[in-house]
Amino acid sequence: MQTLLLNSDDVHANCRMSELIPAVEDAFAAYETGDAQMPPKSYIDLPQYNGDFRSMPAYLDAGDWDAAGIKWVNVHPDNGEKFDLPTVMGTMIYSDPENAFPLALMDGTELTMLRTGAAAAVATDHLAVADASSMGVIGAGVQSYTQLRAISEIRPIEEVVVSDLSEERVADFIDTFEGEFDVRAGSIEEAAGCDVLSTVTPVEEPIVPRDAVGEHTHINAMGADAEGKHELADEVLLDAKLVIDDFDQTTHSGEINVPYHEGVLSDSDIYGAIGEIVIGAKEGRTADDGVSVFDSTGLAIQDVAAAHVAYEHADENDNGYEFDLLGLAE
């Protein structure tokens, strides 16, 4: 038996959004119905290097398929300046649940970007107005690209407003998408007024005010992934149909972590988990809904679902590099 090595190009080529979105939706459902195991994300803090490591293991049984794996990922904000490396890098180990054989080692950075976009698409599909045609993006880093790619798979997005402190990042984003969408630079307020808004910034002081958000805007709050991060004004969260991916993670390090621990926001302000909506235990958008918010911290079950899609297609397409990791070849 051989282990398959998949680099970022291999992951990208074999993890198509049309299949990744339903796979991530299946993962949310499995987690909600108890058909998944996902221990809490563990952190190794390295203040001497201004960084940290995070380990994210999971197993899920989606009925037609099951999968297991673990992602080892870091956040080192000084990497670009000091080492010409990405701030975030990840490695995914994808294993056969039946016998634990390591089926694949794959780039977890590309995997993370793709599954994060897919998670936002799942939430948008259930919570945004059906005819949503405009999308705002606040933060034009690498995550912004998969947000638009994924959400445009499930809503007829035509107009895109992108806002970022860096004119260069905005220009790059526009260059990438101007042939596909009516895309332009705009203010935070202009982006927030769109039918769908994705926020993908690392800020610790809210930048999206309540009065800027459209009457029926659905917001994917994707940026907060650590204690103290906070993109949306408290009033936005309090007024919205607030949906989370996981209670422990969102209260610890998601968009709601600051107002929750300050007592501004309580359990009663949380409408439910995305998994509850996916399986039909709670309603998604209704005719009476105004603003909705999906607080996404990123779950290990999403990584495993994405790794499943990437591996299955890579194996079919003969992509990647096979090697005898365990030395079992005779």
Side-chain angles (χ1 to χ4, degrees):
M1 295 178 70
Q2 300 285 297
T3 299
L4 193 61
L5 181 65
L6 301 174
N7 65 17
S8 60
D9 289 340
D10 295 325
V11 171
H12 184 84
N14 292 286
C15 223
R16 295 186 287 267
M17 278 296 173
S18 59
E19 296 185 39
L20 180 55
I21 293 167
V24 169
E25 188 168 47
D26 286 346
F28 284 137
Y31 187 48
E32 189 60 39
T33 57
D35 294 313
Q37 297 180 50
M38 187 178 68
K41 183 188 302 185
S42 62
Y43 290 77
I44 295 176
D45 192 30
L46 301 169
Q48 68 272 37
Y49 300 120
N50 188 27
D52 64 63
F53 286 111
R54 305 161 191 201
S55 62
M56 301 173 64
Y59 165 78
L60 68 96
D61 183 352
D64 294 335
W65 55 274
D66 67 344
I70 182 169
K71 186 174 73 175
W72 178 245
V73 63
N74 76 293
V75 177
H76 283 62
D78 300 335
N79 267 4
E81 182 179 346
K82 287 186 175 181
F83 305 107
D84 196 26
L85 288 171
T87 297
V88 178
M89 294 176 285
T91 301
M92 185 76 190
I93 303 172
Y94 180 65
S95 302
D96 186 329
E98 185 175 8
N99 57 28
F101 185 81
L103 297 171
L105 298 176
M106 64 183 76
D107 172 52
T109 307
E110 181 71 18
L111 197 79
T112 300
M113 289 190 289
L114 291 167
R115 63 80 154 151
T116 302
V122 172
T124 301
D125 199 23
H126 288 279
L127 293 167
V129 293
D131 60 350
S133 61
S134 62
M135 179 174 172
V137 180
I138 300 176
V142 292
Q143 290 281 5
S144 63
Y145 292 78
T146 51
Q147 289 292 302
L148 178 52
R149 289 280 183 218
I151 289 169
S152 63
E153 285 275 334
I154 49 85
R155 285 296 186 272
I157 301 299
E158 299 174 0
E159 178 189 1
V160 180
V161 180
V162 57
S163 180
D164 193 287
L165 293 175
S166 167
E167 293 182 2
E168 182 179 357
R169 284 197 295 265
V170 168
D172 289 344
F173 186 92
I174 292 173
D175 286 345
T176 299
F177 292 111
E178 62 182 350
E180 301 174 61
F181 305 94
D182 176 12
V183 57
R184 63 180 177 86
S187 65
I188 286 175
E189 288 73 17
E190 289 173 297
C194 293
D195 297 327
V196 179
L197 170 67
S198 285
T199 59
V200 280
T201 74
V203 298
E204 296 188 359
E205 293 293 333
I207 55 174
V208 180
R210 175 65 183 91
D211 59 5
V213 178
E215 186 177 352
H216 298 288
T217 298
H218 168 65
I219 304 172
N220 297 301
M222 314 301 289
D225 61 355
E227 290 182 81
K229 291 188 176 182
H230 190 15
E231 298 181 291
L232 310 178
D234 292 345
E235 293 77 15
V236 176
L237 299 171
L238 291 168
D239 289 349
K241 173 179 272 190
L242 179 57
V243 177
I244 61 176
D245 59 4
D246 175 74
F247 181 82
D248 289 339
Q249 284 196 189
T250 52
T251 54
H252 175 266
S253 56
E255 176 58 33
I256 67 173
N257 83 90
V258 175
Y260 187 85
H261 288 287
E262 290 178 347
V264 173
L265 186 147
S266 67
D267 292 356
S268 63
D269 295 307
I270 301 171
Y271 174 73
I274 187 63
E276 293 179 280
I277 295 174
V278 166
I279 68 171
K282 290 191 174 182
E283 288 188 289
R285 177 162 288 273
T286 68
D288 296 329
D289 286 339
V291 176
S292 56
V293 171
F294 174 50
D295 181 358
S296 172
T297 55
L299 305 181
I301 52 170
Q302 298 165 217
D303 296 307
V304 169
H308 168 74
V309 174
Y311 175 77
E312 291 299 319
H313 286 295
D315 195 42
E316 291 170 8
N317 298 328
D318 199 26
N319 293 140
Y321 169 75
E322 290 187 336
F323 65 110
D324 185 18
L325 177 67
L326 301 185
L328 300 177
E330 294 181 1

